[in-house]
Amino acid sequence: MNKNMCKRIAILSIIIKVLMTSCSSTEDLLYNPDTLTQVEFKVPQNMIKGDEIKTEIYTIHEMECIDSILVILSEKPNAFISVIDCKNDSIIAQFGNLGHAKDEFIDSPKSMYWEKEANGNITLYCQDLIKSVTKVINLTESIKRNKCILINEIKHDYQGIDFQYFHLDKDGNSHICRKFVTFDDPRDNIYYPPSFLIKDKTNRIQTIELYPKIISNDLVGVLYSAYFDILHLSPDKTKFVQAFNCLDLFNIIDVRTHSVNGYIGFNSYDFELFQELETIEEANEKMHLFYQDVCVTNSSIITLKDGRNIREQKEGKKHQFQIYIFDWYGNILSSYFIDRELVQIALDKIIFTEIESLDITEDILFKCACLAKENSKAK
């Protein structure tokens, strides 16, 4: 064997070894974004105070502020969808009945998102999870006629409540889909990690394996809590945010390039913690609550954060929630304290020294305004 051949074999051997090592190390990762940036959260300087809005809407699931209206998804069976005028806090429309017709819902709708058309009309998307479809609704006409005006009903490629869909067009030709933790048989104690599936208009599907290896823990509640998240698609449908309830972490996914950028609190724990927890008592002490809700505009990500550990939350410890507003590059634009414990937030308007929003705690709506001590645009 000549020297050149030996060199080729040696080089080839090295390349194969490097590739095998690289693949092996990726498969062993619990979390694998394209970039991960540490975020330093400073104590907010401004306080938001709220006044109660008198309304009869119960068991609210989701809220979205769109221009000057607030759209609410609730469990009211003859009006799953309610619309409030933010200018005078009055209900201007209620529609979406329980039933099997195309313009009805088998269960209360979930996973709401929207877009504004060129003519100014607003299109609302929401899932009927039991039926595994997304309803596409002409919200503008539905408000005018006080009934659900359906544009389309998109059948999901994958059936079941483990899949959450965000369609990128009204015909259902393209979408981004989050698959949650799944299993073949829960008795086997074998689980598969979450992933994202992005389908384009050519019917090509790309999988984003953001979590190559699933957390190993026999405490199933801890396993599910580790991945519990809040998902939102920007109105222009170009960006997507995933914020975690029990991790000080959020991901920004570019729908066009499929890149994933992660942003984690400075010195915060990561997915490794969930593998180390051995008892529920230890989990209650070491696991904290972070992102309670998120809402988005085309320029901003607005987050509602808690900060207590699980034990403190269960004991009802009083705590000042915070709002942090980011741009889509993960930079903090402003931050606020809240004068009460909240469950959800829907943003109406941002003017960096003022914020008007509609928030909910135990199905009581509050309209809030910021008492700004200083311009909070600086990080």
Side-chain angles (χ1 to χ4, degrees), residues 274-286:
F274 300 100
Q275 297 203 128
E276 300 166 1
L277 300 173
E278 297 180 352
T279 66
I280 293 297
E281 291 73 23
E282 185 184 15
N284 288 341
E285 200 63 39
K286 293 185 177 180

Side-chain angles (χ1 to χ4, degrees), residues 43 118 121 188 257 277 347:
V43 177
N121 283 352
D188 296 336
T257 65
L277 300 173
L347 188 79

Side-chain angles (χ1 to χ4, degrees), residues 111 127-130 132 156 158-166 176-186 191-197 224 227 229 231:
S111 303
Q127 288 188 40
D128 193 334
L129 290 176
I130 292 179
S132 293
H156 297 165
Y158 303 95
Q159 307 297 303
I161 61 174
D162 297 322
F163 298 91
Q164 190 169 350
Y165 276 80
F166 295 84
I176 180 168
C177 168
R178 194 285 310 272
K179 177 176 72 70
F180 195 57
V181 174
T182 53
F183 52 83
D184 296 322
D185 188 330
Y191 296 88
Y192 305 104
S195 61
F196 287 94
L197 308 170
Y224 275 84
Y227 296 107
D229 57 10
L231 307 173

Side-chain angles (χ1 to χ4, degrees), residues 24-33 210-214 272:
S24 175
S25 61
T26 300
E27 290 172 359
D28 289 339
L29 292 175
L30 298 176
Y31 173 56
N32 187 34
L210 190 52
Y211 314 99
K213 179 183 175 183
I214 195 163
E272 293 287 347

